[in-house]
Amino acid sequence: MLRVLNANKSFGGIKAVNRFSMDLKDSLITGLVGPNGSGKTTLFHLITGFYEPDSGEVYFDDQPIHGLPAHKISQKGLVRNFQHSRVLPFLTVRDNLLASCPHQLGEKILPVFFLPSKIRAQEAKNSQKADEVLNMLKLDHLADQPAGRLSYGQQKLLELGRVLMADPRLILLDEPTAGVNPSLTRQIVELIRELTQKGVRFFMVEHNMPLVAELCPRLLVMDAGELIFDGSPKEAMKDPKVVEAYLGKDPGAARGR
Amino acid sequence: MDYLLHIIILALIYTTLAMSLNLQLGYTGLYNFGQVAFFGVGAYTTALITLAGYPVWFGVIMAMTMAGLTGFLIAYPALRLSGDFFGIATLAFGEMARLWFLNERWLTKGPMGLPGIPRPQWIGDGVDSLPWFLLFSLVLTLLAFWWLKHLTSSPFGRALKVVREDEYVARALGKSAVSFKVRAVVAGSTLAGLAGALWAHYITYISPNDFTLQTTILILLCVVLGGKGTIWGPVAGAFLVIFFQELLRFLPIPSEFNRYLAATQGMVFGLVLIILMLKRPQGIIPEHRN
Amino acid sequence: ADAVEVGAITPLSGKISVYGEGFQRAMMLAVQEVNEAGGIKGKPMEIRFEDNASTAQGSVSAMQKHITIHKLPVVFGPAASSNFLAVCPIAQKNKTVIIGAESAAATITDCGSYVFRVFPSDLLQGKGVAQLAESLGYKEVVLTYINNDWGVGLGEVFKKTFTAKGGKILDEFAHDEGKADYRSEILRLKRARAKAVVNLTYIKEGATMLKQAYEQKLKVQWLMGSASKSPKLAQLAGKAAEGVIGTYPAVAHGTEKYKAYKTAWDKKYPGKKLPIFGGYNYDMVKLTAKALNMAPDFKADSIREALMKASKGYIGVTGDKSFDKNGDVGATYGRWTVKGGKITTY
Amino acid sequence: MFYLQLLLNGIIAGAIYALFAVGLTMTYGIFRFINFAHGELIAWGAYGVLLFQGWPFDLPMIWAVPLALALTMAIGLAADRLVYSPLRHGEGITLLIASIGLSFLLRNALQFFFGSDLLSYDVGLMQALEFGEITISEVQLIMAACALVFLGGLYLLLTKTLLGKGLRAVADNLELAGIMGLPMQTISRTVWCLASLFAGVGGILLAWDTNLDPMMGTGNLIKAFAAVLLGGAGNVWGALLGGLFIGVAENLSVAFIDPGYKDFIAFSVIVLMLLFKPHGLFAMARGVR
Amino acid sequence: MLLEINNLKAGYGNITILHGVNLEVNPGEIVCLIGPNGAGKSTVLRTVAGQLTPSQGEIIFEGQNVSKESPEKKGVKGLIFIPQGENIFPNLSLLENLEIAAFALKGNDTYQNRLNQVLGSFPWMKDRLNRPAKELSGGQRQALALSRIILLKPKLVLLDEPSLGLAPLVVEDIFSQIQAMNQQGISFLMVEQNARKGLSVSHRAYVLEQGKDRLTGTGAELLCDQRVQDLYLGG
Ligand SMILES: Nc1ncnc2c1ncn2[C@@H]1O[C@H](COP(=O)(O)OP(=O)(O)OP(=O)(O)O)[C@@H](O)[C@H]1O
Ligand SMILES: Nc1ncnc2c1ncn2[C@@H]1O[C@H](COP(=O)(O)OP(=O)(O)OP(=O)(O)O)[C@@H](O)[C@H]1O
Ligand SMILES: CC(C)C[C@H](N)C(=O)O
Ligand SMILES: [Mg+2]
Ligand SMILES: [Mg+2]
């Protein structure tokens, strides 16, 4: 489904992503972990067209997508969230969701004037979906508030909701549950499971290891921009490199990156 | 009576201008400080065309087309810039347009300006009078208003706001930020061209002096004081600013103090601006009520 | 209380407000004298001033207010020709008399039957400057003019007349209004190595250019126009203005009228120098008062007739103000120079 | 020689833009808005000298100048207290409009007190210093020197003193600076004080070189601001370089085309520079976070 | 009592978020605040820190009512706030960040001494003192923000989600740093979504819901409480 071939990206002297290759094949949910600053977010930026790789290739459904602008990639059904949530602060919570629907006829100038009834129908359908998502994320009471007024965790949830509205085939999630209350986290887990039933695939960065272990049949581990492990979470817990770089057997040792 | 009609016509012209800027600044977050250039392009286009003997309706359409086209041409390069950089580049562009009108004398007569621009004639003789011109501008402004209202309350308007709030999010959601911005700039400049045409046919004389930074500031005031990012904001703003400006002429200043006339008016204007911003930073019609 | 009101649109703020205050003072001086002499048919005369912020929009608004709210039959029009041109059609259409005291553009001649000016058209002055250059024996000059309606209009007439008589223009360029730094323009003047430079400019720009030219030791004969003939220029540019020669619509300083005007001015505004074009504004008001006194009623049409009649043979501070059929006045051009820091006739 | 002289004129003109940019870059860097009233602070500095030279003070120039600068700073402080501080947490555009209002107020107040006539300091004329065929006037030299001194001073202040670092912290994240307990009042006052001081100095020099009218400050403002942006917000040396760029471009253009197009050249240089360097000359690319 | 909050009401503009919150922190305690998203946890901290002004109720710090005081004043008294998310100055260098964090010390000897302590605790900082802080990774940023505690030696630290976005290794590290500082007598009022972790290092805790404190107890008690488990810990 998603393939990255020998991708590189550096900032100044820092090799944020270094000779990185992977192939998601058709695994339902793939986890990505790694110490802070190991390049996970940068990798996401590379895949989704927000950064251009210094070198390397990215394929989605066997089509090359490296070098495509971000919105084209998103239109192909590869949608992401942002690690530091970026809600649209002055739009209402509902509008945040509605704006995320793909292929909206009403976003083109001419149909606005010539196909108003079609647009209304589409809006109604999208609104219904938005309401479902709001309910699920427990944001329904805030639907008409500007999103900038949400708490940190609520913004995080809204961003997740936005991704769901976009009808994606593959979702890239960057720490979707950071700052989210544990009981809601449970629900998100259920949701992800449900969606996989419908054929949606996930590729997610997450520092909550129990959750990763539970959710992801396959786990990739990055360190210093490189892929150091690819396998099941169980194996990862035993892999000395992973333990040393990421999990830590002796907590308390101060570590930088 | 004519004075009132005159003020209303001015306010309508500024309404169109403010709406055209609001589409960019209020909805799309583009600080286009060169809006006066499109105003000027519109005015000069129709002036040159109608002075050459073509009918007014043709001039108006060409004014909008030329302004829109200019908008399109500068939009692509300028939109590589973000935020204040776009602001300063468009501001520079606005001044460049004025200097061009000023120096290309073979076409624009330079600082001498173009006198004798005809008023619309096709409705008959009476059109030359102010009530008819008011009607003419009212109809065009209403059309522009209706068009914008439709556009901005549609998903298109929502998408513009997405671009305004966060370009990265727009891109992540599959919307080409550039394409939305270009459309906003082109639509905005087309409307500014319309305002320019109205201005030229109303005043019947134009010169580069009409298209200075001052005008830009006035348009900006209309948008922000009225309430940016709203449908009625620019309308309210334009009427407020123009009427207030004229109202200042009625400050009771005894004739012994004639020398202080302009200074007093200016100080009051400035003071009121400051107070309005302190009391109503979101404008008269805020985008969000608390 | 029951005054006869006349309107005025004056640049009291904005780009050319440097001129506005002087115009206003001169007009008020004239009004005072009119009223001391009995006013208009026993009623006091009063001028209702409106600021136009030096813009066309401001001028049109002011004009509309004068016409509609105050129903004034006579308005003293705005200064810069570009502003004057914006209000002419309104005056003409509403049958309101408009009089200009310093708007010089040639096109104003064709503005209509309600439009007058007591200031001669550029057409005349352009020729005047050309004659000046010629009579001083300069066959080759550099021409620079301020980049506005006045400068460009005048420059064009000058160029046509001067070259038609065999003069040669070595370099020609416009300079911007209101800059603080003309040093590079001056360098360009220097490069042309002309003996004389025709510089058609305003006071502020003129003073700055003269100063900066002096600084850079540019030694040429400066030939200038009427808009810079002001004691202010001599004061601001100091030594640098010494020896400048210019033309202006001739105003004989020896006349009784002129002396009286100067005395009255010094009395009313002690310490203030006579403003540029002050005499024209003064004459405009005085002549209008005369016409108002002659007119059977205060309707614009009667006043227009009366103005035509009153002006015949009217000799004001600035000379003969007889209107021709276009509402223009004639002029002979005098020459001025700066000597010992003072403006004198050349 | 001709071109060398043009280049030199350009450099000095650029230094003047930079001088005006010093204050602007401070307020812009910290509060993120174009202070339109900066031009009026410039004018107030210049007129302040006349004020203190005239009735009822009748002070000599040496006293009038510092007093004028003090007056300008007082105005800056008052503006901060009454207008800018209350709006500190608002949007940039709100501050921008408020500053437009303030500029109207201050400019017309000048006109109210001094009239709109042209005035001058009546300092004698000087001939320029000559170096071979190249000439520079003393005022020009002083202006350039002032630009350098003030930019340098600002640079030292911002990078070497604790208060300066506080200023930069506020510029970086206003909200956080408040939470971290930085003395926001002091910082905001310092900024306005310094910005007004720089404006006042610029105004006095400009008036010395030319003359005074209430609009004197506004003319160079756009270009000064463009210099700020070209250099990168709050980047002191950037402002200088940006100013030089504009100054040199417009003055060199005089040799080739009609000076009526001088400003046109200046503006097209600004636009072109921005097209090639969309975030200014020195800005580092900011990533998505 | 170090901090006592009585019937605190506060919010944004005219929206009230906190509808009467009561809680207290004793000297030497780590107190944890948990609750669902949007319960008002961050709002409590912001109000106590002085970023928001309470509309009602009192905030008593060391016996003094400090309800209306600015963050600047509270800092001097020994009450500091380390917010959630963006809590460093990205364009300032590391060293400058530290100087700003200790602005109140005005760079005197105490500052120099404590700077050395910071560098002792986080040795990796030494190499990067002059690099801009935006180059730091998430964990390093959090460490930088926490070093303010070492610099200012406050009495009470308000800490909003210290573990946010950190790798497990670093989370352990940060919490052990907090405990170490607590050993030196610094008290903490801390919000944590990683509630198990948070509760396990705290002496006492409060559960906040819809702007009110609903439950309180020791960390261990709440960890075992069935209701808390169901509602807030996700089973
Ligand atoms: N725009 C940028 N400019 C300079 N350096 C950057 C930029 N973006 C990332 N880096 C650096 O690249 C490296 C990888 O960063 P990245 O954000 O991808 O890490 P991450 O794995 O997502 O970490 P975390 O778990 O903390 O989110 C870091 O060293 C970071 O400092
Ligand atoms: N600036 C604001 N303006 C208006 N309402 C706000 C603002 N910030 C937060 N709120 C509202 O206040 C409520 C509480 O927010 P707060 O940030 O205190 O929650 P929290 O408990 O910290 O949540 P989280 O765990 O998600 O961070 C939320 O409903 C939120 O919508
Ligand atoms: C004010 C004057 C200098 C106006 C000038 N005579 C003109 O016609 O524009
Ligand atoms: Mg990351
Ligand atoms: Mg929170």
Side-chain angles (χ1 to χ4, degrees):
Chain A
M1 184 152 216
L2 180 69
R3 218 152 26 101
V4 177
L5 275 183
N6 206 8
N8 285 288
K9 178 77 186 172
S10 54
F11 300 103
I14 305 163
K15 287 190 170 162
V17 171
N18 193 9
R19 286 175 298 160
F20 189 95
S21 296
M22 66 161 204
D23 188 347
L24 286 194
K25 302 212 181 80
D26 46 27
S27 48
L28 299 182
I29 309 175
T30 312
L32 175 64
V33 297
N36 293 115
S38 56
K40 305 180 292 295
T41 301
T42 308
L43 177 67
F44 272 23
H45 286 325
L46 291 183
I47 294 173
T48 51
F50 280 84
Y51 287 163
E52 202 157 325
D54 296 339
S55 66
E57 290 152 34
V58 185
Y59 294 89
F60 182 51
D61 281 346
D62 293 322
Q63 289 168 8
I65 55 169
H66 45 273
L68 280 186
H71 65 274
K72 288 264 165 63
I73 296 176
S74 168
Q75 283 166 4
K76 287 182 186 294
L78 202 170
V79 184
R80 58 155 321 163
N81 75 341
F82 291 93
Q83 177 177 4
H84 298 270
S85 57
R86 306 182 79 119
V87 298
L88 308 165
F90 271 88
L91 263 60
T92 62
V93 169
R94 180 179 280 109
D95 275 350
N96 261 273
L97 294 181
L98 288 177
S100 319
C101 299
H103 314 300
Q104 293 189 55
L105 205 53
E107 288 184 357
K108 300 201 171 76
I109 292 191
L110 288 181
V112 167
F113 293 95
F114 298 114
L115 300 170
S117 58
K118 264 198 174 164
I119 292 173
R120 241 173 286 133
Q122 207 183 31
E123 278 286 287
K125 211 180 84 211
N126 291 342
S127 285
Q128 206 183 343
K129 190 166 166 199
D131 285 338
E132 283 166 23
V133 170
L134 286 172
N135 267 326
M136 195 166 58
L137 299 175
K138 298 221 162 81
L139 293 173
D140 41 342
H141 61 293
L142 297 168
D144 297 313
Q145 290 280 327
R149 294 185 188 162
L150 299 188
S151 79
Y152 188 94
Q154 289 168 333
Q155 295 195 5
K156 209 70 219 192
L157 291 170
L158 177 56
E159 187 152 3
L160 182 64
R162 225 165 44 191
V163 173
L164 299 181
M165 293 292 291
D167 272 342
R169 287 185 297 136
L170 172 61
I171 303 183
L172 265 53
L173 291 176
D174 201 349
E175 304 198 23
T177 72
V180 173
N181 179 266
S183 56
L184 258 181
T185 304
R186 293 308 319 158
Q187 296 190 18
I188 293 176
V189 169
E190 296 313 315
L191 183 71
I192 291 178
R193 286 236 168 89
E194 228 173 86
L195 284 170
T196 50
Q197 302 296 308
K198 296 185 187 157
V200 184
R201 300 288 179 269
F202 288 86
F203 183 32
M204 59 194 282
V205 172
E206 184 54 68
H207 285 305
N208 184 342
M209 274 315 280
L211 189 138
V212 171
E214 179 189 343
L215 202 55
C216 310
R218 181 170 166 207
L219 183 64
L220 307 182
V221 184
M222 273 182 99
D223 187 24
E226 292 179 49
L227 183 67
I228 58 165
F229 175 86
D230 181 352
S232 77
K234 273 218 185 70
E235 289 159 16
M237 309 262 192
K238 283 180 250 147
D239 187 294
K241 270 192 294 181
V242 177
V243 171
E244 199 225 341
Y246 183 62
L247 298 168
K249 42 184 174 237
D250 94 52
R255 261 195 64 102
R257 74 208 300 279
Chain B
M1 193 56 200
D2 276 5
Y3 182 44
L4 187 64
L5 295 185
H6 159 74
I7 304 178
I8 297 177
I9 293 173
L10 269 191
L12 287 174
I13 294 174
Y14 272 89
T15 300
T16 310
L17 276 174
M19 289 191 304
S20 76
L21 179 62
N22 186 39
L23 185 67
Q24 302 166 63
L25 190 154
Y27 283 92
T28 326
L30 291 171
Y31 287 79
N32 187 344
F33 292 153
Q35 197 64 357
V36 72
F38 308 112
F39 183 51
V41 168
Y44 269 100
T45 306
T46 193
L48 290 170
I49 287 178
T50 51
L51 283 174
Y54 294 95
V56 171
W57 64 264
F58 181 65
V60 173
I61 290 175
M62 285 312 287
M64 294 173 70
T65 317
M66 278 303 287
L69 213 63
T70 319
F72 182 75
L73 288 181
I74 74 141
Y76 265 108
L79 284 172
R80 299 184 33 187
L81 308 173
S82 56
D84 294 335
F85 293 97
F86 180 78
I88 199 78
T90 46
L91 195 137
F93 173 73
E95 278 292 282
M96 281 160 73
R98 180 181 67 82
L99 291 164
W100 193 82
F101 300 143
L102 186 66
N103 286 295
E104 294 304 310
R105 280 180 237 147
W106 59 274
L107 183 65
T108 63
K109 294 263 166 44
M112 318 305 291
L114 297 170
I117 304 165
R119 289 263 175 94
Q121 289 157 340
W122 72 87
I123 316 178
D125 273 351
V127 190
D128 206 15
S129 68
L130 282 193
W132 282 106
F133 199 87
L134 176 63
L135 189 67
F136 176 60
S137 5
L138 186 66
V139 168
L140 290 180
T141 310
L142 278 178
L143 268 175
F145 179 83
W146 174 83
W147 189 63
L148 280 179
K149 184 172 153 60
H150 230 70
L151 208 56
T152 48
S153 56
S154 72
F156 179 78
R158 191 170 57 211
L160 290 184
K161 286 191 176 183
V162 174
V163 172
R164 171 190 80 182
E165 304 283 291
D166 197 326
E167 242 177 80
Y168 289 118
V169 169
R171 287 159 61 194
L173 295 176
K175 303 180 201 311
S176 161
V178 172
S179 133
F180 277 102
K181 286 190 200 170
V182 169
R183 282 183 273 173
V185 171
V186 172
S189 40
T190 308
L191 284 185
L194 171 66
L198 283 176
W199 168 267
H201 291 294
Y202 174 56
I203 303 284
T204 70
Y205 167 80
I206 56 171
S207 78
N209 275 340
D210 304 340
F211 309 107
T212 57
L213 187 59
Q214 272 179 46
T215 310
T216 303
I217 290 180
L218 212 58
I219 307 173
L220 188 67
L221 288 183
C222 295
V223 175
V224 179
L225 295 184
K228 58 186 174 6
T230 64
I231 271 292
W232 286 101
V235 184
F239 274 79
L240 172 88
V241 168
I242 298 295
F243 270 81
F244 180 64
Q245 238 189 5
E246 294 298 325
L247 209 63
L248 285 175
R249 294 189 186 279
F250 293 89
L251 273 185
I253 296 169
S255 55
E256 303 90 273
F257 296 108
N258 268 332
R259 174 169 125 33
Y260 301 109
L261 186 81
T264 316
Q265 290 170 354
M267 287 197 293
V268 173
F269 189 73
L271 206 60
V272 168
L273 276 191
I274 296 174
I275 293 171
L276 271 177
M277 279 296 100
L278 285 171
K279 298 283 171 217
R280 282 211 151 237
Q282 296 279 352
I284 321 176
I285 300 175
E287 193 180 344
H288 283 289
R289 266 167 276 262
N290 248 359
Chain C
D2 205 8
V4 176
E5 276 194 328
V6 208
I9 303 172
T10 317
L12 295 173
S13 65
K15 231 170 39 183
I16 57 165
S17 57
V18 256
Y19 291 94
E21 221 171 284
F23 299 166
Q24 194 186 34
R25 286 209 178 98
M27 285 191 255
M28 294 204 299
L29 172 65
V31 168
Q32 187 186 334
E33 290 181 3
V34 167
N35 288 335
E36 277 164 8
I40 313 280
K41 297 179 179 167
K43 292 181 190 167
M45 177 181 186
E46 206 168 277
I47 302 182
R48 194 173 259 288
F49 286 97
E50 289 287 341
D51 175 32
N52 69 355
S54 312
T55 63
Q57 185 182 324
S59 309
V60 172
S61 289
M63 190 68 191
Q64 290 287 10
K65 185 179 174 226
H66 278 323
I67 294 177
T68 320
I69 304 287
H70 308 296
K71 312 237 178 313
L72 303 178
V74 183
V75 173
F76 300 140
S81 303
S82 55
N83 293 341
F84 197 88
L85 280 166
V87 296
C88 279
I90 303 172
Q92 185 63 23
K93 203 160 47 201
N94 286 285
K95 301 199 180 359
T96 302
V97 174
I98 185 167
I99 314 175
E102 59 284 298
S103 298
T107 36
I108 293 176
T109 303
D110 312 319
C111 270
S113 50
Y114 288 86
V115 182
F116 296 84
R117 53 178 160 173
V118 296
F119 191 82
S121 158
D122 271 342
L123 221 49
L124 296 171
Q125 183 173 190
K127 289 179 192 152
V129 184
Q131 273 159 13
L132 171 69
E134 202 187 11
S135 71
L136 292 175
Y138 294 115
K139 291 260 175 296
E140 297 181 330
V141 298
V142 183
L143 169 64
T144 177
Y145 40 81
I146 189 163
N147 205 0
N148 66 16
D149 45 346
W150 180 80
V152 171
L154 196 55
E156 272 167 11
V157 183
F158 168 81
K159 192 167 134 192
K160 213 187 278 161
T161 331
F162 187 66
T163 48
K165 289 184 186 153
K168 197 172 160 210
I169 293 188
L170 296 174
D171 190 6
E172 173 200 338
F173 60 86
H175 55 263
D176 280 329
E177 286 181 279
K179 285 279 135 66
D181 184 0
Y182 292 105
R183 292 184 171 95
S184 293
E185 282 85 342
I186 285 164
L187 209 58
R188 188 159 151 177
L189 292 178
K190 221 171 168 175
R191 184 173 62 165
R193 298 192 196 285
K195 293 212 177 61
V197 173
V198 175
N199 185 3
L200 305 169
T201 192
Y202 281 9
I203 307 173
K204 181 176 154 71
E205 291 77 7
T208 309
M209 287 177 93
L210 288 177
K211 261 163 73 170
Q212 292 177 351
Y214 176 84
E215 211 185 75
Q216 296 194 26
K217 301 187 179 159
L218 170 65
K219 291 201 181 67
V220 290
Q221 176 60 53
W222 292 94
L223 304 173
M224 300 180 89
S226 59
S228 29
K229 177 196 169 259
S230 162
K232 203 89 228 183
L233 180 90
Q235 182 202 331
L236 292 174
K239 274 189 286 189
E242 215 50 27
V244 169
I245 305 175
T247 64
Y248 68 109
V251 175
H253 286 198
T255 63
E256 287 306 309
K257 285 250 178 184
Y258 187 87
K259 281 182 193 148
Y261 163 62
K262 179 146 178 34
T263 326
W265 175 276
D266 288 340
K267 188 154 154 256
K268 189 168 161 83
Y269 306 112
K272 299 258 180 234
K273 297 220 171 78
L274 279 181
I276 184 170
F277 303 138
Y280 289 94
N281 281 276
Y282 178 88
D283 279 351
M284 169 172 72
V285 176
K286 283 277 182 106
L287 176 58
T288 308
K290 183 178 173 202
L292 287 171
N293 266 318
M294 283 167 65
D297 54 39
F298 297 144
K299 299 250 162 54
D301 284 305
S302 330
I303 297 172
R304 184 172 58 144
E305 305 283 301
L307 261 176
M308 277 294 190
K309 256 184 260 153
S311 76
K312 286 285 165 295
Y314 180 92
I315 307 292
V317 170
T318 58
D320 186 354
K321 299 288 96 164
S322 308
F323 291 124
D324 65 12
K325 63 176 196 311
N326 293 318
D328 276 348
V329 294
T332 46
Y333 274 82
R335 292 171 184 178
W336 57 275
T337 183
V338 180
K339 209 185 237 161
K342 293 218 159 35
I343 302 260
T344 54
T345 29
Y346 175 74
Chain D
M1 270 311 128
F2 175 67
Y3 294 99
L4 199 62
Q5 178 76 50
L6 279 180
L7 185 69
L8 188 75
N9 288 351
I11 289 175
I12 292 178
I16 290 155
Y17 293 141
L19 184 60
F20 290 154
V22 194
L24 273 177
T25 196
M26 279 190 88
T27 47
Y28 177 76
I30 287 167
F31 302 103
R32 297 286 142 169
F33 79 103
I34 311 172
N35 180 23
F36 263 80
H38 196 73
E40 275 62 33
L41 287 173
I42 289 174
W44 268 91
Y47 273 92
V49 174
L50 284 186
L51 176 74
F52 290 109
Q53 274 185 327
W55 185 87
F57 305 101
D58 289 319
L59 295 169
M61 194 79 166
I62 346 166
W63 286 108
V65 168
L67 280 173
L69 293 177
L71 175 71
T72 325
M73 288 197 273
I75 294 171
L77 281 179
D80 172 47
R81 177 81 206 273
L82 300 172
V83 185
Y84 296 128
S85 267
L87 291 174
R88 188 158 64 211
H89 294 277
E91 278 180 272
I93 189 94
T94 316
L95 280 158
L96 177 92
I97 302 288
S99 80
I100 290 176
L102 193 66
S103 98
F104 269 97
L105 186 67
L106 288 176
R107 185 193 315 154
N108 284 286
L110 273 184
Q111 195 182 334
F112 192 91
F113 293 121
F114 295 93
S116 47
D117 212 355
L118 277 181
L119 301 170
S120 73
Y121 286 165
D122 277 329
V123 283
L125 271 180
M126 278 161 295
Q127 291 211 317
L129 311 171
E130 281 182 76
F131 304 93
E133 278 175 59
I134 299 294
T135 58
I136 318 174
S137 76
E138 281 176 38
V139 197
Q140 281 184 301
L141 274 182
I142 294 176
M143 284 194 181
C146 277
L148 270 179
V149 167
F150 284 111
L151 284 169
L154 182 60
Y155 175 78
L156 290 180
L157 175 88
L158 287 181
T159 52
K160 298 287 182 256
T161 70
L162 187 59
L163 186 69
K165 288 168 193 166
L167 290 181
R168 284 169 50 219
V170 175
D172 220 14
N173 189 338
L174 184 84
E175 207 69 24
L176 182 61
I179 298 170
M180 292 270 260
L182 291 191
M184 302 297 280
Q185 291 280 0
T186 318
I187 287 179
S188 154
R189 282 186 197 146
T190 312
V191 170
W192 287 107
C193 236
L194 288 175
S196 328
L197 173 71
F198 296 153
V201 171
I204 294 172
L205 286 172
L206 184 67
W208 181 15
D209 188 28
T210 59
N211 36 48
L212 297 89
D213 72 283
M215 310 250 280
M216 63 183 285
T218 44
N220 294 315
L221 211 62
I222 301 179
K223 284 183 219 155
F225 187 71
V228 169
L229 277 186
L230 276 182
N235 184 328
V236 175
W237 299 122
L240 179 65
L241 210 69
L244 290 183
F245 223 93
I246 300 169
V248 168
E250 65 179 19
N251 278 286
L252 275 182
S253 79
V254 170
F256 306 104
I257 55 166
D258 192 301
Y261 266 125
K262 193 172 167 186
D263 277 356
F264 190 92
I265 296 294
F267 289 124
S268 31
V269 166
I270 293 168
V271 172
L272 283 178
M273 282 299 301
L274 284 177
L275 290 183
F276 286 107
K277 285 248 160 199
H279 299 280
L281 294 173
F282 297 106
M284 284 160 281
R286 280 236 201 100
V288 213
R289 274 266 138 200
Chain E
M1 199 97 48
L2 185 62
L3 177 78
E4 190 181 337
I5 299 173
N6 294 323
N7 192 30
L8 187 69
K9 294 190 180 168
Y12 304 87
N14 42 24
I15 313 170
T16 307
I17 300 292
L18 304 181
H19 307 276
V21 174
N22 299 287
L23 62 81
E24 50 198 44
V25 180
N26 295 307
E29 267 189 332
I30 300 178
V31 174
C32 188
L33 202 53
I34 61 170
N37 294 114
K41 304 179 295 297
S42 300
T43 309
V44 169
L45 295 196
R46 283 180 201 141
T47 315
V48 176
Q51 201 188 351
L52 298 171
T53 351
S55 55
Q56 251 188 56
E58 315 173 298
I59 302 167
I60 297 175
F61 182 64
E62 294 196 299
Q64 264 181 314
N65 190 337
V66 294
S67 310
K68 301 239 149 82
E69 285 184 5
S70 67
E72 194 187 333
K73 278 205 182 135
K74 286 177 179 154
V76 175
K77 292 185 173 157
L79 173 70
I80 66 166
F81 175 34
I82 298 175
Q84 189 170 12
E86 310 225 317
N87 49 22
I88 55 156
F89 297 106
N91 291 309
L92 267 55
S93 72
L94 225 70
L95 186 61
E96 285 166 341
N97 261 285
L98 292 168
E99 282 176 86
I100 292 296
F103 196 88
L105 299 179
K106 304 249 183 308
N108 57 24
D109 289 350
T110 327
Y111 167 71
Q112 285 304 332
N113 287 334
R114 292 188 185 164
L115 179 61
N116 289 333
Q117 285 180 36
V118 171
L119 297 181
S121 300
F122 306 107
W124 55 266
M125 283 189 186
K126 280 186 200 140
D127 311 333
R128 313 185 80 152
L129 280 177
N130 292 315
R131 307 291 310 168
K134 62 182 160 200
E135 290 177 2
L136 299 181
S137 83
Q140 291 167 328
R141 284 169 189 236
Q142 203 60 275
L144 179 56
L146 289 178
S147 51
R148 205 161 147 241
I149 306 172
I150 304 176
L151 287 168
L152 293 176
K153 293 259 170 359
K155 294 173 182 135
L156 175 63
V157 181
L158 308 170
L159 198 54
D160 204 348
E161 297 209 32
S163 76
L164 187 76
L166 297 184
L169 193 70
V170 190
V171 173
E172 294 299 330
D173 184 31
I174 293 282
F175 278 113
S176 56
Q177 292 278 355
I178 290 174
Q179 281 178 314
M181 292 190 250
N182 179 246
Q183 298 289 305
Q184 296 167 27
I186 298 174
S187 308
F188 286 84
L189 175 58
M190 168 172 89
V191 169
E192 234 336 310
Q193 278 303 0
N194 189 346
R196 281 174 203 285
K197 192 75 216 170
L199 292 177
S200 70
V201 300
S202 311
H203 300 108
R204 282 188 316 111
Y206 290 85
V207 176
L208 199 72
E209 202 187 48
Q210 295 188 356
K212 279 208 163 106
D213 50 308
R214 302 282 168 182
L215 282 173
T216 177
T218 66
E221 274 167 18
L222 288 182
L223 265 178
C224 304
D225 188 310
Q226 192 54 47
R227 277 177 306 165
V228 175
Q229 288 232 339
D230 291 348
L231 286 171
Y232 309 113
L233 302 181

